[in-house]
Amino acid sequence: MNDYKVPKEILARVKSISEEILKHNYNYYVLDKPEITDHLYDQLFRELQELEAKYPSVSSEHSPTKRVGGEPLSSFSIFKHDPPMMSLDNIFSKDELIVYEERILRFLEKENGKKKFDYVIEPKLDGVAVEVIYTDGNFSYGGTRGDGINGEDVTENLRTIRSLPLRLLRGKDLPVSPKYLSIRGEVVFPISSFHDLNIKREKEGVSLFANPRNAAAGSLRQLDSSVTSSRPLDIFFYALGRCEGYDFSSQSEMLEILPKWGLPVSPFATVCSSTEEIYLLYQDFLEKRRNFSYELDGMVIKVNSFSYQKLLGNTSRAPRWATAYKFPAESSTTIVKDIIFQVGRTGTVTPVAILKPVKVGGVEVSRATLHNEGEIFRKDILVGDTVNIERAGDVIPKISSVINSKRPKDAYRKNFPEKCPVCEKLLYKHIDEAAIRCTNVLCSAVVSERIKHFASTSAMDIDGLGEKMIEKLVTSEYVNEPSDLYRLRFEKLLLLDRMGNKSAKNLIDSIEKSKNTTLDRFIFSLGIRFVGDRVSKIIALNYKSINELMHADKESLLKLDDIGEIVAESIVTFFSTLESLKFVENLLEVGISFNINENEQNDVKEGAFSNKSFVITGTLKKIKRADAKKLIEKLGGRLLGSVSNKTDYLILGDDPGKKYNDALKLGIEILNEDKFENLLAGV
Ligand code: IVH
């Protein structure tokens, strides 16, 4: 095509996208700190590829489309890849899949009239690509991909990865391991450990990793390999560099042999022979993408036969015999319209970003918690900023980063307030804590949150005392603390806005009814930090009265199952303040009395679920969580907050969280709502 008259705007656009891509390559590969989402990056890359195809003269050999990745970091020595490590082209839709297959068919037909062939479909792992060399079956050295020709030598760090064999397995029934093997794969960071790592980093005050891929890169590119060793990295192999001494004929054969030598491969690779099959598999991957232990950003389609791969060959950047079929974005970009400060039950003030509503992974998001003051600073979030929103392993979306290049001139910082945004009393920061708190016990936000907790289903279970009603009671100053609820008079309630006879009577009745409770519910209702409903039950089983608990020391609490330092300390501290003692005393004064614990009743009644522990993840459609909990407990089971190897069943709702991954990993029996119902029916 003759394109000597390339419009000026096109030239300018090509220049600006090229520069932008180079900058993002640097952020991604060298700094491990991407500024934009993969999806936006792919869009830019595509646009440039299309412009270069349309106007070949604008394309130079230095164009980012001709390069594979980033430059190696200077502090590691260079690792040369021979042959170079290629990248992959992307497709995003069924139509593109059809076009892709047609292209392969045309090519193979032209070459030697071949028509029938199959593909191997593998998950596209989102981690760091590496090459590892084995000589005479021994791990020799390895490096990151870098720009595809030169990577960084991270031999010592690779050595610390538990799943990477330092010696290939040999045995009389095994294929002879090769004299020389260079093999490529992905180093990945487990999603479940990613969250723990970030919690730890937050406590240490160091910057958080944006996603498991950055955690993998940050862990592998450490100058001190003992740091790498402390991280739970994993590796999966998927491509051959060079192999002397064994001749593979196809990708599927390679994926069968590698594990025999001890080299891990993804267990989810599948051979397919038509685009229809590939598409079905794609939909299946897409549906289950949250269930994997490692982050996936799509799947990779590879022509299975190595001789066909050879026929198809490569372009300057990527092989023709493979392509990535990417998942749609689970991340998005939007604008921060405001940052507000919310006061919680314990008085903690949490910054919350108010966002221009945007869909992320199918869900509309209009706010994101910023956790604490440190987070706003670390991520440097200003009002007016364009930010990346991500839903990773987590269900709750978060701001992963700010796109600095899109910061408007009038963007402004929202400083953490010095005074409580609700009661205007001075805020307080404890030296050991990241949190900033309002310590005014009469702050209406704190009071409302405390009452909300006190009245909730797992606490005193006061029917009809919802958020709106609580707000009315608190702003009218009828209620300043939970015990005031029990002093409410019918006549006074009638004075409240839109309060009729019937609702006033119902409210008084349900408050009265709640007086008759169990010790575990009462303990939970006090809202002691780190004392959830499960811990409350454990305590109630061991301390027969509230008075006994109020005098308990740390050592005796520590003897209880599942109660560690932090919880024990929190309980003792709670009961050591006069305020809390008065708070409990007031409640006892209004006539709260205790039945035997529900747990004890269960113990007596030896239920069908006795000794069985359940965990719920996601939203249940048919039954309220609190009701499911009641049923489980009624039958003698326990509902726990997190999955461990002691969990018997995971009940799976919509939009499950990380507990689902944990359960899959530990091989715990998973019940969808129907199965849970059947289990109940069979009792
Ligand atoms: S094959 C020449 N297989 O995706 C083929 N790559 O965007 C080279 N990746 O650099 C790659 N899972 O880091 C291949 N099953 C898989 C993969 C995979 C993840 C990564 C790899 C590659 C990148 C391209």
Side-chain angles (χ1 to χ4, degrees), residues 86-88 122-125 128-129 145 186 238-239 300 302 319 321-322:
M86 303 239 109
S87 189
L88 288 172
E122 296 166 13
K124 186 171 183 309
L125 294 162
V128 189
R145 187 179 67 174
E186 200 85 354
Y238 48 62
V300 183
K302 297 174 178 173
W321 47 265

Side-chain angles (χ1 to χ4, degrees), residues 81 125 133 252 321 534 565 570:
H81 299 292
L125 294 162
I133 313 285
S252 53
W321 47 265
R534 197 171 67 84
E565 279 286 329
S570 167

Side-chain angles (χ1 to χ4, degrees), residues 28 32-34 209-219:
Y28 179 110
D32 289 337
K33 266 199 171 304
F209 287 118
N211 49 44
R213 179 189 61 217
N214 289 125
S219 304

